[in-house]
Amino acid sequence: MSPVAPAELRTACLHLRRWLPSDRAPFAAMNADPRVMEFMPALLSPAESNALAARIEAHFEQRGFGLWAVGIAGGAPFAGFIGLSVPRFTAPFTPCVEVGWRLAAEHWGRGYATEGARAALRFGFESLGLAEIVSFTVPHNLPSRRVMEKLGLTRNPADDFDHPLLPAGHPLRRHVLYRIRRPAAG
Ligand SMILES: CC(C)(COP(=O)(O)OP(=O)(O)OC[C@H]1O[C@@H](n2cnc3c(N)ncnc32)[C@H](O)[C@@H]1OP(=O)(O)O)[C@@H](O)C(=O)NCCC(=O)NCCS
């Protein structure tokens, strides 16, 4: 897959853009918030959060797309990330491109995840030419599953899987998989 511009997307309320050094501190604060990290294996230290931001930037450099930093028009310069990424693990549905999101808690409940992810899906299908995009989470992450459903992704229980990066018996190991195919050309 060749790197494809643009590096930025705009929606009615959001600016999905490349990361800035000034995003690191608010990103670390998010990643240390138990509300934001309820369905993740652990809170992140500032060093771990910075390492994640660096991996996200490396993904952009390598592939030309990634998990964009989210700015809110007329509001917070950094509210979290929304975008597309290639999972680093192997599973029955990989290789694939995933749509994902993580927003600071003060920005939840305004439709931002859905609005940004809808633009990311369009970019994936129209600019990257992807045939399918997936998303996954733990079964009890109902807000995230609701975002997937609002975007038109669907789940087949036969696709449920154990996350290969988590050990057997880990309470977050079981995952549900959602998929969406590229819309037929109108
Ligand atoms: C998941 C997340 C990005 C959603 O962001 P958001 O901007 O609030 O999402 P939206 O407003 O677009 O949609 C959220 C939907 O979930 C619904 N929802 C919220 N809490 C819910 C709950 N406990 N049970 C069921 N639905 C719930 C909302 O009502 C809304 O649906 P609606 O429009 O039909 O009312 C945000 O909660 C988050 O960052 N969570 C922590 C990180 C995370 O879990 N990321 C995903 C990992 S796979």
Side-chain angles (χ1 to χ4, degrees):
M1 197 181 299
S2 59
V4 180
E8 301 197 338
L9 302 176
R10 285 188 188 272
T11 68
C13 297
L14 306 177
H15 182 197
L16 274 55
R17 56 166 177 77
R18 291 289 292 269
W19 290 64
L20 299 170
S22 54
D23 299 331
R24 298 283 172 114
F27 191 46
M30 275 176 61
N31 289 325
D33 182 341
R35 295 170 296 174
V36 174
M37 303 302 276
E38 180 180 358
F39 304 111
M40 308 292 158
L43 302 180
L44 300 187
S45 69
E48 290 167 331
S49 178
N50 288 343
L52 173 56
R55 283 202 304 278
I56 291 172
E57 265 304 300
H59 188 291
F60 273 103
E61 292 300 324
Q62 189 185 350
R63 301 184 184 271
F65 64 92
L67 298 169
W68 285 276
V70 176
I72 298 177
F78 178 82
F81 67 66
I82 299 173
L84 302 173
S85 69
V86 176
R88 294 184 297 159
F89 58 83
T90 301
F93 54 88
T94 63
C96 66
V97 173
E98 174 199 9
V99 60
W101 38 73
R102 186 181 300 177
L103 299 178
E106 62 262 37
H107 302 295
W108 294 358
R110 298 193 179 102
Y112 291 154
T114 307
E115 179 176 324
R118 190 167 280 130
L121 289 177
R122 192 177 313 118
F123 177 80
F125 290 132
E126 295 180 3
S127 299
L128 300 177
L130 301 173
E132 182 183 69
I133 296 173
V134 307
S135 196
F136 47 83
T137 189
V138 294
H140 43 293
N141 189 344
L142 298 180
S144 206
R145 292 181 65 169
R146 179 77 190 122
V147 172
M148 294 173 198
E149 288 160 6
K150 287 196 291 182
L151 291 167
L153 283 79
T154 55
R155 170 194 175 215
N156 179 346
D159 285 332
D160 289 3
F161 68 105
D162 290 328
H163 201 298
L165 299 181
L166 292 174
H170 193 288
L172 298 177
R173 192 160 189 240
R174 197 69 183 155
H175 275 61
V176 290
L177 181 79
Y178 284 73
R179 302 175 184 261
I180 186 169
R181 304 283 307 172
R182 181 172 52 219

